[in-house]
C-alpha cells in the first residue's frame, strides 16, 4: 500500500510497535536531543536537497565555494540577494510561504512535555520556532536573520540594507544573511551549544535528515559511540539507519505525532 504521494505505508501494527518502542526510549532517557533536517519541512511544501524529490537529486549539486565568492565580492553577492527577494528561486519562494506542519508541532510538544531538551536543526526556515520550540540551535543559520562576521551579532532581516555591503553598527564587520554558505565556518556560538548539548545527550532523535552533512551528523555518531540510543524518523533509510535502536520510515508529520501521543500516555502512566 502507498499513500497519495506514493510513500509506502508501514503495516499499522508495525508502525504502532515501533512508535511505542521509540516513546519508551525517549521516556527512559535523561537528556534527549534531536537533529532535524530538510525532511521535517517537506510536508510544509519546502523541497529537500537530497532524497527522491530533492532539488539536488533533480538539478545537481550547487558550487561549493559560495563563501569564498562572497568574501571576494560581497557587493555582487548582496546584489544577488536583492534580486532573489524580488524573484525568489524555488527554495526561497517555498520558505517564504511555508507554515509549520504536524512534525514541527510534535517536536514543540515533546519539549513542553520536558522530554526533548534541545533541537539542533540544519534547516534555515524558522518553522521550529514558529511551531513553538524554544531550545533550538540553527546550525546552518536562519534565513530571517542577518549576522555580522566580525562579532557574530544577529539582527532581523526585514529591510534590504541601504549600505552595500552592509556593515555592523557595533564593530564595523561585514554583514551577511545568517544562513551558512558552502565553505563558511559554522558560527562559533551555534557550534558551542551543539557540542554542549550533544555532550549532555543520552539519546538522539533524527528526523528528516540524511545524516551526511558534517558537523551536524557527527553529533549523532558521537552519541552512538558513547553507547546511547539513536531513533530515526525518515522517509528513506540513511547511512545511520543500522546504528539506530528504532528506525521508522515514513512521513515525519504522521510518525512524530504518533510517537508524541505514546509519550503522553506513558508519561501519565
Ligand atoms: P536533505 O535534503 O539532505 O535530506 C532530507 C531527508 O529527508 C532525506 O533523507 C529524505 O528521504 C527525507 N524526507 C523527505 N521527506 C520527508 C518527510 N515527509 N518526512 C521525513 N523524512 C523526509 O536534508 P538534510 O540531511 O537535512 O541536509 C541538510 C541540508 O539541507 C542543510 O544544509 C539545510 O540547510 C539544507 N536544507 C534546508 C531546508 C529547510 O530549511 N527547510 C530545505 C532544503 C535544504
Amino acid at each position: 500500500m502507498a499513500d497519495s504521494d506514493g510513500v509506502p505505508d508501514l503495516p499499522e501494527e508495525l508502525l504502532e510497535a515501533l512508535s511505542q518502542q521509540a516513546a519508551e526510549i525517549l521516556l527512559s532517557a535523561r537528556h534527549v536531543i534531536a537533529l532535524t533536517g530538510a525532511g521535517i519541512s517537506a510536508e510544509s511544501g519546502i523541497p529537500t536537497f537530497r532524497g527522491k524529490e530533492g532539488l539536488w537529486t533533480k538539478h545537481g549539486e550547487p558550487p561549493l565555494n559560495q563563501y569564498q565568492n562572497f568574501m571576494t565580492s560581497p557587493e555582487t553577492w548582496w546584489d544577488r540577494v536583492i534580486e532573489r527577494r524580488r524573484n525568489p528561486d524555488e527554495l526561497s519562494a517555498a520558505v517564504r510561504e511555508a507554515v509549520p506542519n504536524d512534525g514541527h508541532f510534535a517536536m514543540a510538544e515533546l519539549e513542553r512535555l520536558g522530554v526533548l531538551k534541545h533541537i539542533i536543526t540544519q534547516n534555515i526556515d524558522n518553522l521550529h520556532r514558529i511551531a513553538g520550540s524554544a531550545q533550538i540551535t540553527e546550525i546552518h543559520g536562519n534565513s530571517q536573520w542577518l549576522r555580522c562576521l566580525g562579532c557574530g551579532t544577529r539582527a532581523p532581516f526585514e529591510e534590504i540594507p541601504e549600505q552595500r555591503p552592509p556593515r555592523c553598527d557595533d564593530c564595523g564587520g561585514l554583514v551577511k544573511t545568517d544562513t551558512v554558505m558552502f565553505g563558511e565556518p559554522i558560527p562559533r556560538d551555534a557550534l558551542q551549544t551543539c557540542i554542549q548539548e550533544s555532550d549532555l545527550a543520552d539519546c538522539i532523535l533524527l528526523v528528516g535528515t540524511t545524516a551526511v552533512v558534517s558537523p551536524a551528523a557527527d553529533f549523532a555518531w558521537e552519541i552512538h559511540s558513547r553507547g546511547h540510543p539513536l531513533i530515526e524518523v525518515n522517509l528513506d533509510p540513511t547511512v545511520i539507519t543500522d546504528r539506530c535502536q528504532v528506525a521508522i520510515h515514513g512521513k515525519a508529520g504522521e510518525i512524530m505525532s504518533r510517537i508524541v501521543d505514546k509519550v503522553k500516555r506513558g508519561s501519565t502512566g
Side-chain angles (χ1 to χ4, degrees):
M1 281 281 284
D3 72 9
S4 56
D5 297 333
V7 179
D9 285 331
L10 285 179
E12 175 63 20
E13 271 174 31
L14 180 59
L15 190 52
E16 274 294 290
L18 291 172
S19 308
Q20 182 62 35
Q21 237 178 305
E24 284 167 14
I25 294 172
L26 293 173
L27 281 167
S28 63
R30 191 182 32 79
H31 196 96
V32 180
I33 67 167
L35 174 66
T36 66
I40 195 169
S41 296
E43 287 155 71
S44 295
I46 303 179
T48 61
F49 284 166
R50 303 176 185 82
K52 274 181 224 118
E53 295 300 315
L55 291 175
W56 293 357
T57 312
K58 290 195 275 185
H59 309 305
E61 291 201 14
L64 298 178
N65 60 348
Q66 290 174 340
Y67 186 62
Q68 204 185 341
N69 289 344
F70 168 76
M71 292 307 270
T72 309
S73 180
E75 300 82 0
T76 313
W77 182 84
W78 267 102
D79 286 345
R80 275 199 224 112
V81 171
I82 290 156
E83 173 55 23
R84 209 166 46 238
R85 282 224 148 182
R86 288 197 198 107
N87 264 320
D89 58 19
E90 192 177 344
L91 185 59
S92 317
V95 169
R96 203 181 278 185
E97 298 296 316
V99 293
N101 65 58
D102 288 349
H104 299 105
F105 289 120
M107 303 293 284
E109 181 73 5
L110 265 188
E111 181 183 321
R112 273 194 295 276
L113 292 167
V115 172
L116 180 62
K117 299 293 193 284
H118 201 86
I119 298 174
I120 299 172
T121 187
Q122 298 162 92
N123 296 342
I124 48 87
D125 56 30
N126 205 37
L127 294 183
H128 280 301
R129 289 189 193 276
I130 300 173
S133 291
Q135 299 305 318
I136 173 163
T137 299
E138 288 135 333
I139 190 168
H140 295 161
N142 182 324
S143 62
Q144 310 292 306
W145 291 84
L146 299 174
R147 173 167 44 85
C148 168
L149 290 179
C151 63
T153 302
R154 291 178 178 80
F157 186 9
E158 282 155 359
E159 307 291 330
I160 300 286
E162 273 175 32
Q163 185 190 20
R164 260 180 253 157
R167 293 271 168 192
C168 176
D169 291 342
D170 295 337
C171 76
L174 203 51
V175 170
K176 64 181 280 297
T177 49
D178 186 35
T179 309
V180 175
M181 297 167 169
F182 294 108
E184 179 181 354
I186 302 294
R188 208 174 314 147
D189 55 350
L191 192 58
Q192 199 56 43
T193 311
C194 293
I195 292 169
Q196 278 164 4
E197 285 297 325
S198 66
D199 283 351
L200 287 171
D202 59 355
C203 173
I204 184 162
L205 174 61
L206 300 146
V207 188
T209 179
T210 46
V212 294
V213 179
S214 191
D218 303 342
F219 301 117
W221 289 99
E222 196 271 321
I223 291 164
H224 170 70
S225 74
R226 285 192 276 120
H228 296 307
L230 273 55
I231 299 169
E232 176 173 74
V233 175
N234 203 63
L235 209 52
D236 310 296
T238 70
V239 292
I240 210 163
T241 301
D242 65 3
R243 308 299 168 102
C244 296
Q245 251 68 14
V246 181
I248 315 181
H249 296 131
K251 288 186 174 178
E254 185 203 338
I255 294 168
M256 282 312 304
S257 305
R258 243 182 225 254
I259 293 175
V260 171
D261 219 40
K262 299 204 178 302
V263 165
K264 278 185 183 160
R265 280 190 233 155
S267 62
T268 55

